[in-house]
């Protein structure tokens, strides 16, 4: 059985303690990873600084871009291998894992192409002065990512930081560290100088907490739960450094009577079933105009009944959830629904030959959920869609905005004016009109409002976030 090592300062470091790697499809142990802590984090941050002071700090933007392109090329070369690794580690159906690999490669490609396009400005000022601005890297950046889309999160967080010229220390989730280590091997092969790309695996409370509190870090990019996000922001505050928080959501899909039901139904069910509902931007509330509520929930129910759950390699509509805790969490919400007499409109089914010991839950559609009910307020992070009625446009906006979150919204209507009004009034970081792409492409700035966090990933926004703007004012006389 493989015992994986940490990658620190361009060297593979044997662990002093390990953690098991569990396959969620059957609960079996498939490998071990290092249980890194403060000591390994210290070494990784020091290695990052050495790289920035040394070879990496002297690497120009064009060359950084080429290294990122090389990463994209190697990720694509090893795509099938990485997809298998990911699907075994987190239980994703293999087709969905292949999509994650492609998205990760695309992040490196996008930011590789952007590395030499970070322009400063000249600013009109008093006579006899010239003022210009530069983006400078923060130094060593920390990246703490969750287990739901490990490769995608890693790519969109690490690639812009490297493009800007930072060195990175990555702490993957305990339940999803294998592909992060796979990418470290590719970074080595691509030719990044030692210490630019460091990976320390371990527990959140140990390696994660040590990294977020480290005084040598210049920026933290965190994706995960609100609870941990608050701890990470508090740690960043003590070092007065910037932090990007990508937290959860309770994203509404708002369906008006004039929507294309067929199109909307297909995409809405896919967006909640994808990755077994473990998607921060899953459209987990469907808000339906009263006059068409029965008709549209009827169509959704048919689609839910057709969904099938299987192991990662069976590659059905959804795989298991990531671990026993996550399964218990989803079941607890379903128990609350039963206790409160909510109506289950439809369930998906388990496929044949489901392996014993896996963490499987059925996709579930629940009807007539009051907007303030806990199932319509809290993030379940499983394949559970709650249907909520609304009266009119104003009511749709009010209900959309009535949770602590504000990540993404879908608006389904043929009325252009209405789609614009809702796009402006719903408090979220991304709105999709007559389509829904969980998180969208790497080109589209993404992030939350309210309890969903702050700062933006993806697009040029993310790239600028990984730099500090410096203003230089020169007095030369007239
Ligand atoms: P989590 O428990 O917050 O974990 C996220 C990351 O933080 C993991 O790497 C975790 O390590 C680490 N961590 C845990 N405790 C820590 C601590 N005290 N200090 C520093 N780091 C710590 O979240 P999760 O259960 O993995 O993911 C589910 C949540 O993430 C959901 O709420 C979801 O909505 C959110 N999410 C948001 C986005 C987004 O882009 N907005 C994307 C994906 C997920 P360990 O796993 O090793 O403990
Ligand atoms: Mg695992």
């Amino acid at each position: 059985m493989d015992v994986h090592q940490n990658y620190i300062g361009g060297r593979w470091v044997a662990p002093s303690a390990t953690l098991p790697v569990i396959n969620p499809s059957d609960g079996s142990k498939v490998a071990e990873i290092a249980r890194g802590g403060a000591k390994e984090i210290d070494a990784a941050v020091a290695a990052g600084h050495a790289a920035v002071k040394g070879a990496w700090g002297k690497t120009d933007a064009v060359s950084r871009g080429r290294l990122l392109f090389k990463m994209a090329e190697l990720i694509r070369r090893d795509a099938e291998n990485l997809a298998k690794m990911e699907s075994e580690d987190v239980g994703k159906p293999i087709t969905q894992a292949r999509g994650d690999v492609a998205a990760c490669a695309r992040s490196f490609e996008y930011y590789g192409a952007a590395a030499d396009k970070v322009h400063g400005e000249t600013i009109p000022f008093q006579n006899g002065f010239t003022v210009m601005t530069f983006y400078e890297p923060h130094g060593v950046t920390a990246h703490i990512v969750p287990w739901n889309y490990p490769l995608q999160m890693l790519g969109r967080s690490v690639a812009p930081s490297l493009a800007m010229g930072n060195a990175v220390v990555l702490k993957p989730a305990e339940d999803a560290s294998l592909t992060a280590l796979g990418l470290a091997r590719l970074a080595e092969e691509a030719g990044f100088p030692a210490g630019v790309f460091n990976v320390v695996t371990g527990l959140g409370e140990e390696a994660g907490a040590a990294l977020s509190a480290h005084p040598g870090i210049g920026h933290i990019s965190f994706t995960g739960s609100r609870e941990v996000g608050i701890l990470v922001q508090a740690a960043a505050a003590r070092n007065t450094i910037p932090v990007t928080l990508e937290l959860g959501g309770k994203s509404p899909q708002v369906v008006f009577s004039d929507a294309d039901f067929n199109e909307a139904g297909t995409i809405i069910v896919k967006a909640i079933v994808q990755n077994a509902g473990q998607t921060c931007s899953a459209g987990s509330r469907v808000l339906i105009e009263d006059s068409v509520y029965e008709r549209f929930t009827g169509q959704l129910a048919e689609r839910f009944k057709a969904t099938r759950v299987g192991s990662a390699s069976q590659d059905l509509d959804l795989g298991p959830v990531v671990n026993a805790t996550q399964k218990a969490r989803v079941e607890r919400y379903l128990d609350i629904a039963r206790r409160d007499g909510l109506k289950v409109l439809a369930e998906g089914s388990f496929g044949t030959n489901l392996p014993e010991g896996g963490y499987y839950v059925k996709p579930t559609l629940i009807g007539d959920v009051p907007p303030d009910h806990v199932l319509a307020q809290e993030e379940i992070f499983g394949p559970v869609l709650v249907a909520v009625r609304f009266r009119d446009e104003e009511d749709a906006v009010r209900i959309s905005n009535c949770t602590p979150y504000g990540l993404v919204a879908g608006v389904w209507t043929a009325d252009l004016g209405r789609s614009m009004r809702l796009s402006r009034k719903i408090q979220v970081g991304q709105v999709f009109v007559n389509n829904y792409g969980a998180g969208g492409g790497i080109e589209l700035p993404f992030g939350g409002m309210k309890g969903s966090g702050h700062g933006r990933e993806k697009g040029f926004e993310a790239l600028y976030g990984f730099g500090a703007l410096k203003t230089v004012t020169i007095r030369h006389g007239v």
Side-chain angles (χ1 to χ4, degrees):
M1 186 169 293
D2 289 337
V3 179
H4 295 281
Q5 303 181 328
N6 282 320
Y7 186 62
I8 299 172
R11 289 176 42 244
W12 292 94
V13 183
S16 47
T18 62
L19 297 165
V21 175
I22 305 295
N23 177 352
S25 290
D26 59 11
S28 65
K29 178 175 158 183
V30 293
E32 288 179 24
I33 52 168
R35 180 175 172 173
K39 190 170 126 248
E40 288 78 6
I41 292 293
D42 265 344
V45 174
H49 281 292
V52 170
K53 281 200 196 79
W56 187 235
K58 298 184 184 69
T59 305
D60 62 31
V62 175
S63 308
R64 291 199 302 271
R66 285 192 184 131
L67 281 165
L68 287 165
F69 269 130
K70 183 75 190 167
M71 271 302 272
E73 191 187 312
L74 296 176
I75 293 166
R76 289 191 176 121
R77 182 198 68 190
D78 290 357
E80 197 53 25
N81 215 353
L82 288 165
K84 280 200 188 117
M85 207 187 277
E86 193 85 294
S87 86
E88 185 174 67
D89 199 3
V90 300
K92 260 177 218 282
I94 185 76
T95 301
Q96 293 178 35
R98 288 186 187 118
D100 285 12
V101 176
C104 181
R106 177 74 190 119
S107 288
F108 281 93
E109 180 178 74
Y110 178 87
Y111 289 109
D116 58 3
K117 293 164 192 73
V118 179
H119 296 182
E121 294 182 312
T122 54
I123 300 174
F125 190 52
Q126 298 167 19
N127 276 342
F129 287 81
T130 297
V131 181
M132 60 195 126
T133 61
F134 300 87
Y135 280 96
E136 298 197 345
H138 295 297
V140 182
T141 55
H143 304 261
I144 301 177
V145 297
W147 41 257
N148 56 347
Y149 291 86
L151 275 171
Q152 283 206 46
M153 304 289 157
L154 183 171
R156 78 184 194 199
S157 174
V158 161
S161 182
L162 294 172
M164 187 55 86
N166 299 287
V168 306
V169 180
L170 170 66
K171 207 304 275 178
E174 172 205 346
D175 284 311
S177 292
L178 298 187
T179 50
L181 296 166
L183 253 63
R185 282 188 284 276
L186 297 185
E188 192 172 31
E189 184 180 343
F192 282 94
V196 173
F197 192 110
N198 304 282
V199 180
V200 177
T201 61
L203 299 174
E205 317 83 82
E206 296 176 1
L211 179 57
S212 52
H214 201 288
I217 289 298
H219 178 284
I220 306 178
S221 155
F222 173 83
T223 306
S225 63
R226 238 182 121 185
E227 298 68 36
V228 178
I230 291 166
L231 296 178
V232 168
Q233 180 153 358
R238 281 189 280 275
N239 288 319
T240 54
I241 56 167
V243 54
T244 301
L245 297 182
E246 298 283 6
L247 310 178
K250 194 71 186 177
S251 299
Q253 298 267 22
V254 188
V255 182
F256 286 90
S257 55
D258 61 354
D260 178 333
F261 282 10
N262 197 32
E263 186 83 5
T266 306
I267 293 178
I268 288 171
V269 173
K270 192 159 171 254
I272 185 67
V273 163
Q274 173 188 328
N275 210 41
Q278 306 164 115
T279 305
C280 53
S281 51
S284 51
R285 294 184 291 158
V286 57
L287 279 43
I288 307 167
E289 192 168 359
D290 241 342
S291 60
V292 292
Y293 178 87
E294 265 75 29
R295 191 148 65 88
F296 191 65
T297 50
Q299 293 196 10
L300 288 178
E302 289 312 309
R303 288 184 166 83
F304 261 77
K305 285 181 201 151
T307 58
R308 288 171 66 233
V309 185
S311 68
S313 59
Q314 285 171 331
D315 203 21
L316 303 181
D317 300 301
L318 62 162
V321 292
V322 76
N323 56 30
T325 311
Q326 196 59 27
K327 178 171 153 74
R329 175 189 169 112
V330 178
E331 285 169 348
R332 181 168 58 80
Y333 281 107
L334 294 175
D335 285 344
I336 294 173
R338 270 186 288 273
R339 181 199 72 193
D340 292 352
L342 295 178
K343 206 169 356 154
V344 172
L345 299 180
E347 275 183 347
S349 60
F350 291 153
T352 49
N353 301 322
L354 205 62
E356 294 282 313
Y359 311 122
Y360 299 99
V361 292
K362 287 181 183 161
T364 308
L365 174 66
I366 303 179
D368 274 313
V369 180
D372 57 354
H373 189 273
V374 55
L375 262 80
Q377 287 286 321
E378 293 182 11
E379 186 180 44
I380 300 172
F381 228 50
V384 180
L385 180 62
V386 299
V388 179
R389 292 176 190 261
F390 71 83
R391 277 190 314 277
D392 53 20
E393 208 176 296
E394 200 186 321
D395 204 31
V397 171
R398 182 186 63 78
I399 297 171
S400 292
N401 288 337
C402 81
T403 78
Y405 293 107
L407 195 56
V408 180
V411 178
W412 300 88
T413 178
D415 182 334
L416 180 64
R418 176 151 67 194
S419 74
M420 266 325 296
R421 290 189 293 276
L422 264 88
S423 298
R424 301 302 294 270
K425 287 180 184 162
I426 300 179
Q427 294 168 288
V428 291
Q430 268 189 347
V431 179
F432 289 95
V433 176
N434 294 331
N435 72 103
Y436 197 85
I442 191 67
E443 306 84 355
L444 314 178
F446 173 71
M449 292 189 184
K450 307 194 301 187
S452 292
H454 54 80
R456 293 291 175 264
E457 292 198 304
K458 305 188 170 180
F460 268 70
E461 287 299 318
L463 187 61
Y464 296 141
F466 282 109
L469 194 71
K470 177 181 281 179
T471 308
V472 176
T473 305
I474 302 172
R475 189 177 75 169
H476 43 68
V478 282

